[in-house]
Structures are given as C-alpha cells and as structure tokens.
Amino acid sequence: MTLLNPEKVETGPLDPIKSKVVKMMLTSRMQIGEKHQKIACDSKLANYMDHCPEWLKSKDNNSKNWMDLDNKMTETIAVVRAIGAEWFLIPDDAANQEKCEQVEKILFSVMNTMVYLINKICFAPNSTECNNFDVEYARTRFMAKFQPKAKAIEDLLDGPFIMGDTLPVYADYLLYACLYDINVFCPGAYDKSAKLSDFMDKFYHYPSPIRRWFRTNEAKTGEYIRPPVPHIMELLPEELGQGDIH
C-alpha cells in the first residue's frame, strides 16, 4: 500500500469533545449524548493539562520528548487522568496507581514509536530520500518494537484488567484505545497474546454504560488517538530526529 498524498489532519491541541477516548470514557460514566458531553468537557475538562503527570511534563525543549510528534499522547494521558480524577476512575491505593503509571509509560513509548515510524522513518515529507509511505515496511519495523512492549503490558494486567477482575480504571480505557489503534495499523498485532486478546474482549463486553458507546457508529470508525497513515506534514528538524526508536 502506498499513499502518495495523505490528507493533512488537525494536529493542534486536543479538544476533549472531539476525542473518541473522551467520548468513550464519558459515556461509561453516564454522560450520554453530545449535549451532556460538551457540558462535561467545558466545565470539567477545560484545564485537563493540569493533570499531566510529572514524568511527562517537559521543562524546556531539551527535556521535551520529541518522539511525541503531534503531542497527542501527552494530551491524551492528561485528559484520561482528568476524567479519572473527576469520575472516580483512579485507584485509591499507591500500588495500583504506580501500575497505571507504568502502563502509561509503555503506551507512550509504543504509540510514539508508531507515529514516528509512520511519519518520520517510513514517509518523511521533509526528506528527499522518501516521498511515499510503505505501510508493509512500517508494520514490519513496528512489530519488532511492539512485541517486547506487549509482554511488558501483559505483566501489568492482573486479569482481565489492570486491577484484576474488577472495575476498569482510567488506564484500562487508555490501553483499550491504544490497542485498538495499533490493531488498525497492524491487523492481528496482539492476536498471539491471550492476555491482551482477553483484555480487549472483556473490556468491549463489560456490563456497564460503556456498551452504549460501542453500539454507536462513531465507535466503529476512525482512530481513538492517531490515524494509521501519515498525517504530520511538518516534522522535526533533522538534528532532532536522530537516534533509535525505543
């Protein structure tokens, strides 16, 4: 598959009401319909970046994670934490809070590897070496990076969710969204992982108001966080794009 002219999409700051992750989480907390969700976003999530964890905050350009090309993972982690704080989706105990943070860090790495490969390594519109996007090459490169990360995620799932057979917490929603996007990019990416497959199945069928979300057309189309094709037309200066993908 080769995409000669991928469409430029919005890469500005995340608007909560336009985020599929946000809509999924709000629906699960009985904030049903666009009217009620917009009220929730305007009143409760206007300052969602206040919930950005310390480990993710950049102090200056030297500490900024340049792999997060469009800042979408930074913003998504902050907004799911904001929803978790407002609607009781953050674990009470320190051990499970730490486990959620470990999941965040792994997903941050995985999702930024994906976006970096798609937009920088396998497309690179600001490079004279490559003008087309080779999706098969991108998938092959990504899967080599994803497999050890998938094992690390498995180790953090008590089964089927992060805290075991109980209420999903905010990081479970983040994990579902990321695995969904990864599977769109690399169909069957986690099929060989019984634990991740079970997580996705149990989350999708969880007996809560979230079922309303999964019945909507919006839940069945498009990405939760990022598209599986090039979408960032202006990338890093070359001197900031060096080094391996971790």
Side-chain angles (χ1 to χ4, degrees):
M1 175 180 175
T2 300
L3 301 179
L4 298 179
N5 296 298
E7 248 182 79
K8 184 171 183 178
V9 300
E10 179 59 46
T11 56
L14 182 147
D15 182 354
I17 193 60
K18 296 180 181 179
S19 166
K20 278 184 66 173
V21 184
V22 170
K23 292 180 179 181
M24 172 175 66
M25 293 184 74
L26 290 180
T27 301
S28 78
R29 309 320 289 164
M30 289 301 293
Q31 305 296 306
I32 310 296
E34 184 151 350
K35 178 182 176 181
H36 291 97
Q37 291 186 353
K38 187 168 190 325
I39 292 172
C41 289
D42 291 345
S43 61
K44 306 295 186 182
L45 302 178
N47 299 313
Y48 68 86
M49 284 303 295
D50 291 349
H51 293 265
C52 185
E54 284 299 319
W55 70 266
L56 198 45
K57 291 179 179 176
S58 62
K59 310 301 184 293
D60 50 42
N61 278 348
N62 291 324
S63 66
K64 178 179 173 64
N65 190 309
W66 291 104
M67 291 283 287
D68 194 9
L69 294 179
D70 54 7
N71 213 39
K72 283 294 178 284
M73 276 305 292
T74 297
E75 294 168 338
T76 299
I77 289 171
V79 79
V80 298
R81 277 190 173 227
I83 294 172
E86 182 65 32
W87 281 281
F88 310 104
L89 290 171
I90 292 181
D92 293 328
D93 60 296
N96 278 309
Q97 289 173 8
E98 172 61 24
K99 191 184 291 188
C100 286
E101 187 164 294
Q102 291 179 53
V103 171
E104 290 174 352
K105 290 177 179 178
I106 295 170
L107 294 175
F108 186 80
S109 173
V110 167
M111 295 299 285
N112 286 336
T113 294
M114 185 171 79
V115 78
Y116 198 82
L117 277 170
I118 291 172
N119 289 279
K120 185 67 176 171
I121 302 299
C122 300
F123 181 60
N126 60 344
S127 168
T128 58
E129 298 176 5
C130 179
N131 293 317
N132 298 335
F133 174 54
D134 185 339
V135 70
E136 294 304 329
Y137 176 61
R139 285 170 176 165
T140 301
R141 289 282 300 267
F142 175 75
M143 285 304 296
K145 301 289 184 180
F146 175 65
Q147 288 166 354
K149 300 292 186 183
K151 179 61 172 65
I153 295 170
E154 289 175 357
D155 293 343
L156 293 169
L157 295 176
D158 282 346
F161 305 125
I162 292 169
M163 288 178 54
D165 191 9
T166 182
L167 177 75
V169 293
Y170 79 93
D172 287 299
Y173 290 83
L174 180 67
L175 177 56
Y176 179 87
C178 290
L179 289 177
Y180 180 97
D181 281 3
I182 287 169
N183 194 59
V184 172
F185 173 51
C186 290
Y190 53 80
D191 282 358
K192 293 181 180 179
S193 168
K195 216 166 185 182
L196 294 185
S197 296
D198 186 52
F199 167 84
M200 293 295 280
D201 180 69
K202 293 295 197 307
F203 190 91
Y204 184 85
H205 292 101
Y206 190 74
S208 83
I210 197 172
R211 288 176 297 179
R212 294 182 181 223
W213 165 253
F214 289 127
R215 287 198 295 263
T216 66
N217 290 330
E218 191 171 8
K220 301 169 186 173
T221 58
E223 68 279 355
Y224 275 88
I225 300 171
R226 291 186 176 120
V229 294
H231 69 287
I232 303 171
M233 299 298 108
E234 295 178 3
L235 298 178
L236 308 179
E238 287 301 321
E239 63 270 16
L240 295 175
Q242 304 302 316
D244 193 18
I245 302 171
H246 302 289

